[in-house]
Amino acid sequence: LAIRERGLGTSHAETARALSNCGIVRHKLGHHQAALQCHRRALEILETNPALGPGHPDVARSLCDLADVYDDEGEYAQALQLYLRAIGVSEECFGEGHPDVARALIGIGNVNMHRAAYKQARECFQRGLAIQERCLGKGHAAVATTLTNLGLAHEKLGDREVALSMHERALETQRRMLGDMHPDVARTYSHLGQTHEAKGDLDRAMECHSDALKIRELKLGLEHADTAYTLGRLGAIYRRRSNYRKAMEYFHLSLAICEKVLGPVHLGTAIAAHNLGGALQRSGEPEMAEVHFLRAVEVLQQQEVNTGTNHPFLQYAAESLDRCRQAMGQAL
């Protein structure tokens, strides 16, 4: 990037592409604010470059890069707007059956997953997968990633056997194409573990999440949102096994990472706080549980203000807080 800025200037298209690459790497490392800064600069350069303009395919790709980070930041309305713009540009340039269109559709699917709109997510993933399989072939790594996304949507909708089949197909492809220790492999192990959890197969779920954690700690480090998520899943398994002390160890670590990486007002931080509250309540510490349940509710309420959307987890967290307070009142 520094070489291109010196040699080509700060408004050259190649400088924008270097910025995009920097943004992608920073996003993968969990440095979201730095990634946003890179992608915003790249998009501005590409849109105002007279040789490209707002209708160029590179602009559509830059829109998706920026939207990906907004999605992980919990800025779902902003992410959705950018993905829709990207679809419009890509369809105008290439038609409806291009992989760039698929990428934006899959991005919208991810936003819908985070909003718990699972049917809409499944539809987006199905449309994106059909385009990718037709253009890239069924053995492509990008197809495998979409397949496991679709599997997660099926799992959320109760189609667990379908979900398992998709995750296993995706994992086979990813291990063959990317190797056993790639972060995408960890992601599929995580989805596979989540489906086994839903089926009640806690031993297999533990194995999958442990495999995911091993990869994520090695490739992403401890201070990464994906690592925090996997720690939370392992904590949830220990909680279901009534090993609340062990669960709290994982939940404490998960919450600390979320606070540092995602910030205090983020859906992931709220979920981590709620998980810790549940373990504290079950281990006989209702006063501390109330603190964490209340924090989860307050974070989600602030999310509503920031994003204009009502996440269904807010009601669940509020009910947990209410039950905790009722139990404390009865104890008094």
Side-chain angles (χ1 to χ4, degrees):
L1 174 59
I3 293 171
R4 288 184 178 178
E5 285 182 330
R6 283 197 303 270
L8 302 173
T10 56
S11 60
H12 195 279
E14 290 302 321
T15 302
R17 294 182 183 108
L19 279 165
S20 293
N21 290 336
C22 287
I24 290 168
V25 171
R26 286 169 174 168
H27 183 198
K28 287 183 181 296
L29 291 171
H31 305 156
H32 292 172
Q33 292 306 312
L36 284 174
Q37 184 178 1
C38 288
H39 289 313
R40 286 175 186 142
R41 283 184 60 199
L43 181 61
E44 181 181 3
I45 293 169
L46 293 169
E47 286 185 317
T48 58
N49 189 303
L52 302 176
H56 194 274
D58 284 356
V59 170
R61 294 173 192 129
S62 185
L63 287 165
C64 283
D65 289 338
L66 184 56
D68 289 345
V69 186
Y70 276 123
D71 182 34
D72 281 348
E73 279 285 284
E75 299 285 348
Y76 304 130
Q78 182 78 345
L80 182 60
Q81 180 184 7
L82 293 169
Y83 285 131
L84 289 171
R85 283 182 58 196
I87 286 177
V89 174
S90 296
E91 287 185 340
E92 183 68 25
C93 293
F94 303 119
E96 295 181 356
H98 193 273
D100 285 1
V101 176
R103 184 191 172 189
L105 284 168
I106 291 159
I108 293 172
N110 287 329
V111 171
N112 284 326
M113 287 295 293
H114 293 145
R115 283 177 159 175
Y118 301 126
K119 288 184 179 179
Q120 293 93 319
R122 181 179 61 185
E123 180 183 347
C124 289
F125 292 146
Q126 286 171 335
R127 290 175 60 195
L129 181 63
I131 295 170
Q132 288 180 323
E133 287 184 332
R134 187 166 60 249
C135 296
L136 305 174
K138 293 186 177 182
H140 196 279
V143 172
T145 299
T146 305
L147 195 62
T148 194
N149 287 342
L150 180 57
L152 187 60
H154 277 288
E155 186 266 310
K156 291 293 187 182
L157 292 168
D159 303 327
R160 291 166 187 163
E161 294 303 326
V162 174
L164 279 178
S165 174
M166 290 184 170
H167 294 322
E168 287 165 356
R169 279 177 55 198
L171 186 62
E172 181 182 356
T173 299
Q174 288 171 328
R175 292 179 67 185
R176 185 178 66 252
M177 301 295 294
L178 305 173
D180 290 340
M181 299 300 290
H182 194 277
D184 286 355
V185 173
R187 187 168 181 266
T188 301
Y189 272 130
S190 181
H191 289 174
L192 193 55
Q194 191 169 324
T195 304
H196 282 300
E197 280 183 73
K199 291 186 68 182
D201 188 350
L202 299 186
D203 289 339
R204 186 74 180 100
M206 177 74 79
E207 181 181 339
C208 291
H209 288 309
S210 296
D211 287 339
L213 183 63
K214 184 191 308 180
I215 298 169
R216 284 174 166 170
E217 285 185 331
L218 180 65
K219 296 296 185 178
L220 304 176
L222 264 178
E223 293 184 0
H224 195 283
D226 289 350
T227 304
Y229 175 80
T230 303
L231 289 166
R233 296 291 0 130
L234 287 166
I237 293 172
Y238 280 114
R239 182 181 60 201
R240 288 182 66 175
R241 288 176 164 171
S242 300
N243 189 343
Y244 301 125
R245 291 297 170 186
K246 194 70 174 177
M248 280 192 288
E249 289 179 23
Y250 281 96
F251 289 147
H252 270 296
L253 187 52
S254 177
L255 178 58
I257 297 169
C258 286
E259 288 174 332
K260 185 168 186 178
V261 175
L262 301 175
V265 185
H266 190 280
L267 175 61
T269 305
I271 291 172
H274 182 273
N275 285 340
L276 181 55
L280 285 163
Q281 185 174 13
R282 287 175 174 81
S283 64
E285 300 181 51
E287 293 84 0
M288 287 301 299
E290 181 192 22
V291 170
H292 290 288
F293 286 143
L294 178 60
R295 181 175 179 197
V297 169
E298 289 176 343
V299 170
L300 289 162
Q301 287 173 335
Q302 186 61 49
Q303 277 274 303
E304 277 194 355
V305 173
N306 292 347
T307 65
T309 59
N310 183 5
H311 198 282
F313 194 76
L314 173 58
Q315 181 179 350
Y316 182 64
E319 289 171 355
S320 296
L321 177 62
D322 187 53
R323 286 194 298 269
C324 180
R325 286 173 168 171
Q326 288 179 8
M328 289 171 65
Q330 291 170 2
L332 293 172

